[in-house]
Amino acid sequence: MVNSTLSYFILGAYMHVGPLKYFYFMITALLYIAIVFSNTALIVVICMKRSLHEPMYLFLCSLFVNELYGSAGLFPFLLVQIISDTHTVSASFCFLQIYCLYTYGSVEFCSLALMSYDRYLAICCPLQYNTRMTSNKVAVFIVVIWLYSFLKFLITLSLNIRLPLCRNIINSVYCHNYLVAKLACSDSRVNNIYGLFGIVLTIFVPLIPILFSYMKILKVCFAGSKETRQKAVSTCTPHLASLLNFSFGCCFEILQSRFDMTSVPSVLRIILSLYFLIIQPLFNPIMYGMRMSKIRKICKSLVYCKM
């Protein structure tokens, strides 16, 4: 139960666009359909095809499930707000959305960290790969990152829920943890400190295996043959593209919430604040579906079978 004098929030970043709201609604709905279809299709392909029951594809399956989870926390809410004339949300639902979106971000980054470690083992330790990355270990890794993300953010959320709030206008198009904490009447330094600590846990802890893995991969590439370099590039390109894309979106969202961005046009701020929540779930299935040869061949064969 929310311990606050306020029962609802007003989302102040929405602009009055008149009849154009139906156009924006249609575009957003089409994006959501594309995200659900592409991620679900690849999850089904990986689960149904035994040839894809390998560590790399199991990590991908977890990643695609997370895209669906994060999208479910944003898109239905966004569609309702776009079509509505009053942009309000209940406090309980707002905190639920915060929990969904922040755990999505944590699972995403931890999954990318695991996948970088998997690529390191495959490229740098190919003879030991099957013993060091078994199916049981993959299952344990996936369960751990999901539990870690869900439990870690419970502390942040519980600190925010206890804050007495004096204002209820959030300058965003969706509920944002730090922006809610800024509405508090009382001193929220504890929340801010733990919020920064949470950012460290969410970003810098997964960043350690990512940097370690790619330093080792680069070392092997420079010392190895042309064939080794080509193999490393082909297997790491989708992961690096996904990592850079997600990092860009997260960095802007963190900077926007912590610093004054009034000099940036409001439309651009809205687009960039939604970037990591909209583009990433669409980018990953397209990138991995096109670049991973096994997935691409199976998808092509399924299309030809139905024709």
Side-chain angles (χ1 to χ4, degrees), residues 89-139:
V89 56
S90 69
S92 298
F93 188 86
C94 191
F95 284 116
L96 176 62
Q97 185 182 52
I98 287 170
Y99 185 73
C100 288
L101 297 184
Y102 277 72
T103 49
Y104 156 75
S106 180
V107 171
E108 187 82 7
F109 212 38
C110 288
S111 297
L112 291 170
L114 267 181
M115 290 167 69
S116 67
Y117 178 67
D118 176 75
R119 293 301 80 210
Y120 153 70
L121 289 180
I123 294 168
C124 302
C125 313
L127 299 178
Q128 303 170 34
Y129 181 76
N130 290 330
T131 55
R132 293 177 66 175
M133 192 60 78
T134 62
S135 297
N136 288 338
K137 286 182 179 179
V138 170

Side-chain angles (χ1 to χ4, degrees), residues 109-281:
F109 212 38
C110 288
S111 297
L112 291 170
L114 267 181
M115 290 167 69
S116 67
Y117 178 67
D118 176 75
R119 293 301 80 210
Y120 153 70
L121 289 180
I123 294 168
C124 302
C125 313
L127 299 178
Q128 303 170 34
Y129 181 76
N130 290 330
T131 55
R132 293 177 66 175
M133 192 60 78
T134 62
S135 297
N136 288 338
K137 286 182 179 179
V138 170
V140 170
F141 283 143
I142 291 172
V143 170
V144 166
I145 63 170
W146 280 81
L147 284 177
Y148 166 77
S149 300
F150 275 66
L151 293 174
K152 172 174 62 68
F153 194 71
L154 275 177
I155 300 171
T156 307
L157 192 65
S158 63
L159 288 172
N160 260 19
I161 288 174
R162 292 188 185 130
L163 285 174
L165 306 175
C166 293
R167 293 166 292 151
N168 67 342
I169 299 176
I170 303 173
N171 190 27
S172 177
V173 292
Y174 62 91
C175 294
H176 194 293
N177 183 61
Y178 181 68
L179 296 181
V180 170
K182 286 173 72 175
L183 304 176
C185 306
S186 60
D187 188 2
S188 61
R189 277 182 296 181
V190 174
N191 296 64
N192 293 335
I193 291 168
Y194 186 78
L196 291 171
F197 180 64
I199 290 172
V200 171
L201 289 178
T202 303
I203 296 175
F204 292 102
V205 170
L207 198 60
I208 293 170
I210 291 171
L211 293 175
F212 169 81
S213 299
Y214 277 102
M215 283 172 64
K216 292 289 186 180
I217 289 169
L218 283 172
K219 186 178 178 181
V220 168
C221 288
F222 285 123
S225 62
K226 184 180 178 181
E227 185 182 347
T228 303
R229 286 194 293 272
Q230 288 176 340
K231 181 185 175 183
V233 169
S234 64
T235 56
C236 291
T237 297
H239 177 265
L240 272 174
S242 177
L243 180 64
L244 291 172
N245 182 65
F246 187 68
S247 299
F248 167 76
C250 287
C251 283
F252 183 83
E253 184 57 6
I254 291 168
L255 291 173
Q256 180 177 241
S257 64
R258 299 276 168 175
F259 301 101
D260 182 19
M261 303 291 285
T262 52
S263 58
V264 180
S266 57
V267 175
L268 183 60
R269 285 206 312 268
I270 291 170
I271 292 170
L272 290 175
S273 69
L274 290 170
Y275 185 91
F276 81 106
L277 294 167
I278 291 180
I279 303 301
Q280 186 74 0

Side-chain angles (χ1 to χ4, degrees), residues 281-301:
L282 194 59
F283 179 85
N284 275 342
I286 293 172
M287 173 59 69
Y288 285 106
M290 289 175 60
R291 294 288 303 182
M292 306 296 282
S293 57
K294 276 190 177 182
I295 294 178
R296 189 171 65 249
K297 287 175 184 176
I298 290 171
C299 288
K300 281 183 179 179
S301 65

Side-chain angles (χ1 to χ4, degrees), residues 36-82:
V36 171
F37 175 78
S38 57
N39 283 282
T40 303
L42 290 180
I43 290 168
V44 171
V45 167
I46 292 171
C47 290
M48 296 294 289
K49 295 294 180 180
R50 292 188 63 83
S51 60
L52 297 180
H53 291 182
E54 299 175 5
M56 177 171 57
Y57 300 105
L58 295 177
F59 288 136
L60 275 178
C61 191
S62 174
L63 191 71
F64 297 145
V65 169
N66 189 48
E67 308 302 358
L68 292 176
Y69 167 67
S71 300
L74 174 71
F75 276 93
F77 172 84
L78 201 59
L79 289 168
V80 170
Q81 292 297 327
I82 289 171

Side-chain angles (χ1 to χ4, degrees), residues 2-14:
V2 177
N3 180 22
S4 173
T5 54
L6 300 173
S7 60
Y8 68 94
F9 294 103
I10 298 170
L11 299 167
Y14 285 93

